[in-house]
Amino acid sequence: MGRITLDKVRKAFGDVEVIPPLDLRIEDGEFVVFVGPSGCGKSTLLRLIAGLEDVTSGEIRIDGTDATHLSPAKRGLAMVFQSYALYPHMTVRKNIAFPLKMAGMDQAEIDRRVDGAAKVLNLSSYIDRRPGQLSGGQRQRVAIGRAIVREPSAFLFDEPLSNLDAALRVGMRLEISELHKRLATTMIYVTHDQVEAMTMADKIVVLRAGHIEQVGSPLELYRTPRNTFVAGFIGSPKMNLIEGAEAEKHGAHTIGVRPEHFQISTEGGTWTGTIGVSEHLGSDTFFHVTVPGFAEPLTIRAGGEVDLHYGDTIHLTPDASQIHRFDAKGLRLP
Amino acid sequence: MATQHSRSAARAMMAPAVFLLLVWMLVPLILTLWFSTLDYRPLRGTFDCCEGLGNYVRFVSSSAFWDSILTTLQLLGGVLLITVVGGIGLAILLDQPIWGQGIVRILVIAPFFVMPTVSALVWKNMFMNPVNGLFAHAFKAVGLEPVDWLSQFPLFSIILIVSWQWLPFATLILLTAIQSLDSEQFEAAEMDGAGPFARFGYITLPHLARSITVVVLIQTIFLLSIFAEIFVTTGGAFGTRTLTYLVYQRVIESQNVGLGSAGGIIAVILANIVAAILMRVVGKNLDA
Ligand SMILES: Nc1ncnc2c1ncn2[C@@H]1O[C@H](COP(=O)(O)OP(=O)(O)OP(=O)(O)O)[C@@H](O)[C@H]1O
Ligand SMILES: [Mg+2]
């Protein structure tokens, strides 16, 4: 079980309120991702749930019981840290066995569980090494191993993949998702990586300055962002936000069109602009197009084989059903 | 640039320093070696050659020699124990965020700046004096008989004095080590269910192992040659005669330079043996 409820949880460091009162429900077995810009309080929120920071006011309930003042060990949660936080003088085996040993479990059961975790995570071949002799990816696996042997009611991850290179990240991302499918345990995952959030989450929580801006499934956030902040934050590259006369034509203060929702043509379209920098990724090409009258260049996604270059004139037609409209406060219009 | 020319220039410029160091080390060593083979007693006017190993045999076979070795080891062990244990405790305390931290840290370091003779005299006269000492007053205040520290517990008193001097050094080294401990490791252990003592035993102590090694090695080197603290307190009486002090007595008090020199050479050899053993036993913490 791993149902976590935050009720008006507030956190201040001295006079600085980092998390204003906040409510959140995390259901059993859900994969929840916290995203938000740097410094918005993602780690703090996670540490509050873990019990590594005291809440200033409010209540945290785990499986219905009040855990607000419970010590971290008693909450039955396991955490994977960004720096892995492995114990450097212990072998991999001892690292993984540590929480079980602290729980006073008998040696036979400890061995059984450690071997099980080692098999699941493919770390049997270096189980007698020390963390210093492992690569970043291997350390990450050990840290996850140490978390899963405890059979916690929920896992907490704080940017676990940010120290890994791009290829390894993709691999570990899949592994963590698979682990979630297999264990069906609640996972709370902090990241500021778009792709991680979109691909892994059942539910994304978008934070800004400690506020929850929107909670929803990845596609919900992608299709119906509640405000311009979420619209700009979810999706990669960012949604184009256009203000002024063009927006007023649609009866809004701001309109948003994602880079992938344009028809491009060399003959004619709604808007006409000049291609600036283009980024060729092979499968896709991203053009930065300057349109006269728009404050910022638009980002446009085209296929990989488009034959357009710097300085060419391009005609753009936004997909009418994919135009997001926002009012002057940045809130979504129906 | 490491051209041929600059290298020979560097060598030429370093030569005087190297030469001076060599002379500084070699001349006394060779003189001591030479004296140790002589029957050299200046007050009697004897300066006879060719004692051979006679002085060595005489030095080692006196009962004072083995007593002094034992005393030296007791002093060494006692001070190391107090400074390492106390140093860890103080370092942990000083690592806590407290008000006036900067001043407290300077106060803790202060004893290290007091010269040994002065601190030993301060301890002897201000603290341990059976009539006027602070300890005597404290004992009287709670209705106990004052203790004459330096004659009733002479070795322990000296261990106390020397520990007081070396505690700051140990604390300083261990404090920097504690500050370099990754706080996430601590938090991970906390989540893994380790209580304060388990966290200390499984995280802090192993992390400190290397620094403890450094403290033990460096202190051993200096503690083997402790002299001033004994000289101004007990003068080597009441079983506080260390090997260093014995050598001093042989040369100055008995005016037997030959015998003392032999003792000095023996002390050098023993110190090297101790250093070698220490490097073996604890030095393996330094690699890896
Ligand atoms: N111990 C602390 N004392 C005072 N302020 C703190 C403390 N810890 C965090 N903060 C502040 O709280 C805010 C949120 O920090 P937090 O670490 O939760 O951000 P984050 O969303 O995890 O950022 P990042 O993505 O960079 O990791 C920051 O403005 C930070 O300066
Ligand atoms: Mg963070």
Side-chain angles (χ1 to χ4, degrees):
Chain A
M1 285 293 283
R3 209 174 69 244
I4 299 171
T5 318
L6 307 190
D7 190 9
K8 299 201 176 46
V9 167
R10 182 176 159 267
K11 175 67 185 175
F13 289 109
D15 295 336
V16 189
E17 190 174 63
V18 174
I19 311 262
L22 172 152
D23 296 307
L24 182 67
R25 278 178 67 86
I26 294 166
E27 298 300 336
D28 185 31
E30 251 181 345
F31 197 118
V32 177
V33 174
F34 293 170
V35 289
S38 189
C40 68
K42 307 180 292 287
S43 300
T44 307
L45 194 54
L46 199 70
R47 293 165 58 83
L48 288 173
I49 296 173
L52 295 173
E53 301 278 359
D54 294 324
V55 298
T56 309
S57 64
E59 196 182 72
I60 296 175
R61 280 192 304 278
I62 299 175
D63 292 329
T65 54
D66 184 1
T68 318
H69 301 289
L70 234 46
S71 75
K74 296 225 174 72
R75 298 189 185 197
L77 311 174
M79 182 146 166
V80 176
F81 293 82
Q82 184 175 355
S83 69
Y84 316 136
L86 299 177
Y87 311 125
H89 49 275
M90 297 184 199
T91 60
V92 169
R93 172 178 287 283
K94 290 216 176 108
N95 259 285
I96 297 177
F98 188 73
L100 306 180
K101 193 167 152 188
M102 287 299 115
M105 202 173 273
D106 67 68
Q107 195 59 42
E109 174 69 5
I110 292 181
D111 288 340
R112 198 185 62 73
R113 287 209 195 179
V114 173
D115 291 334
K119 203 188 272 162
V120 169
L121 293 164
N122 274 325
L123 39 78
S124 309
S125 58
Y126 46 85
I127 194 133
D128 289 316
R129 287 202 225 156
R130 295 201 180 186
Q133 303 161 320
L134 302 180
S135 73
Q138 291 169 330
R139 284 182 209 184
Q140 185 60 65
R141 267 167 227 266
V142 177
I144 294 174
R146 190 173 64 185
I148 64 176
V149 285
R150 288 177 55 195
E151 299 178 355
S153 57
F155 291 96
L156 312 177
F157 294 91
D158 192 354
E159 305 198 23
L161 307 185
S162 57
N163 289 343
L164 303 180
D165 68 48
L168 210 52
R169 236 148 125 160
V170 176
M172 285 306 293
R173 201 168 80 202
L174 283 173
E175 278 189 46
I176 293 177
S177 292
E178 239 165 59
L179 199 66
H180 177 244
K181 294 274 179 305
R182 179 164 30 185
L183 301 175
T185 308
T186 312
M187 290 191 177
I188 306 179
Y189 190 102
V190 167
T191 182
H192 47 230
D193 185 313
Q194 275 294 318
V195 186
E196 277 174 30
M198 294 300 283
T199 54
M200 300 171 90
D202 294 324
K203 185 155 106 182
I204 296 182
V205 177
V206 182
L207 291 164
R208 172 165 61 163
H211 280 285
I212 294 183
E213 293 288 331
Q214 190 170 2
V215 179
S217 73
L219 284 183
E220 248 174 83
L221 298 197
Y222 178 82
R223 288 189 187 132
T224 53
R226 206 165 67 189
N227 54 33
T228 47
F229 177 79
V230 178
F233 202 80
I234 298 290
S236 172
K238 276 176 63 165
M239 182 189 279
N240 297 295
L241 294 172
I242 303 154
E243 293 181 2
E246 283 300 327
E248 269 149 31
K249 277 188 207 158
H250 291 86
H253 179 267
T254 310
I255 55 169
V257 186
R258 296 195 184 276
E260 51 272 39
H261 295 147
F262 284 99
Q263 308 281 321
I264 60 172
S265 140
T266 45
E267 274 109 48
T270 317
W271 300 321
T272 305
T274 319
I275 297 179
V277 176
S278 45
E279 295 168 320
H280 298 275
L281 302 183
S283 60
D284 293 314
T285 307
F286 294 106
F287 293 119
H288 295 265
V289 179
T290 321
V291 179
F294 288 5
E296 284 177 24
L298 301 178
T299 309
I300 310 295
R301 194 185 81 177
E305 308 295 334
V306 184
D307 191 26
L308 285 167
H309 302 281
Y310 182 84
D312 288 354
T313 300
I314 187 174
H315 301 277
L316 307 166
T317 311
D319 197 336
S321 64
Q322 299 288 359
I323 297 178
H324 304 265
R325 303 180 312 130
F326 302 97
D327 67 15
K329 287 206 197 87
L331 291 178
R332 183 182 188 80
L333 292 168
Chain B
M1 266 201 282
T3 60
Q4 195 77 35
H5 183 250
S6 71
R7 242 176 293 154
S8 54
R11 224 171 278 153
M13 284 197 249
M14 266 169 59
V18 172
F19 178 73
L20 216 68
L21 278 174
L22 266 182
V23 170
W24 230 256
M25 193 194 77
L26 281 181
V27 169
L29 186 65
I30 289 171
L31 271 179
T32 311
L33 270 173
W34 182 45
F35 287 159
S36 72
T37 63
L38 301 176
D39 182 7
Y40 178 20
R41 277 173 284 180
L43 277 193
R44 292 211 202 154
T46 45
F47 190 82
D48 300 333
C49 122
C50 311
E51 276 281 311
L53 292 178
N55 278 327
Y56 290 90
V57 173
R58 226 167 296 137
F59 191 88
V60 173
S61 56
S62 85
S63 67
F65 171 71
W66 295 105
D67 286 348
S68 74
I69 296 269
L70 189 67
T71 309
T72 309
L73 290 180
Q74 282 171 337
L75 180 70
L76 183 65
V79 175
L80 284 179
L81 188 73
I82 294 178
T83 51
V84 169
V85 173
I88 292 173
L90 270 179
I92 289 175
L93 282 181
L94 289 179
D95 191 40
Q96 312 295 322
I98 47 167
W99 188 82
Q101 199 168 40
I103 291 176
V104 172
R105 283 186 188 169
I106 289 174
L107 284 179
V108 169
I109 312 295
F112 205 47
F113 299 127
V114 180
M115 50 209 85
T117 327
V118 174
S119 75
L121 282 174
V122 166
W123 273 88
K124 179 184 177 180
N125 296 324
M126 278 183 62
F127 291 104
M128 294 174 165
N129 187 299
V131 182
N132 295 318
L134 274 181
F135 289 161
H137 282 300
F139 273 59
K140 270 185 255 172
V142 293
L144 290 173
E145 189 72 13
V147 176
D148 185 359
W149 288 87
L150 283 166
S151 53
Q152 281 174 274
F153 311 104
L155 189 59
F156 176 71
S157 302
I158 290 178
I159 289 176
L160 219 57
I161 295 171
V162 177
S163 300
W164 181 78
Q165 278 171 7
W166 282 93
L167 197 55
F169 171 76
T171 307
L172 202 62
I173 301 262
L174 296 170
L175 179 62
T176 52
I178 281 189
Q179 285 173 338
S180 73
L181 182 57
D182 174 20
S183 66
E184 284 200 344
Q185 250 178 60
F186 239 77
E187 288 174 347
E190 201 178 339
M191 294 209 65
D192 283 345
F197 293 105
R199 288 205 292 274
F200 175 77
Y202 286 105
I203 313 285
T204 313
L205 213 50
H207 177 77
L208 290 181
R210 194 178 291 205
S211 309
I212 292 175
T213 308
V214 170
V215 167
V216 167
L217 281 177
I218 293 183
Q219 287 200 18
T220 302
I221 293 169
F222 284 93
L223 293 179
L224 283 176
S225 59
I226 285 284
F227 180 79
E229 292 84 343
I230 304 171
F231 185 75
V232 301
T233 52
T234 61
F238 316 118
T240 58
R241 187 159 55 183
T242 60
L243 187 54
T244 318
Y245 206 85
L246 182 67
V247 171
Y248 159 78
Q249 282 188 336
R250 290 289 184 257
V251 175
I252 304 298
E253 290 177 11
S254 327
Q255 283 291 323
N256 192 336
V257 177
L259 193 59
S261 298
I265 297 296
I266 289 170
V268 168
I269 293 169
L270 287 183
N272 277 296
I273 292 174
V274 170
I277 293 173
L278 273 180
M279 285 306 259
R280 268 287 153 71
V281 177
V282 291
K284 67 173 190 292
N285 278 332
L286 288 179
D287 27 80

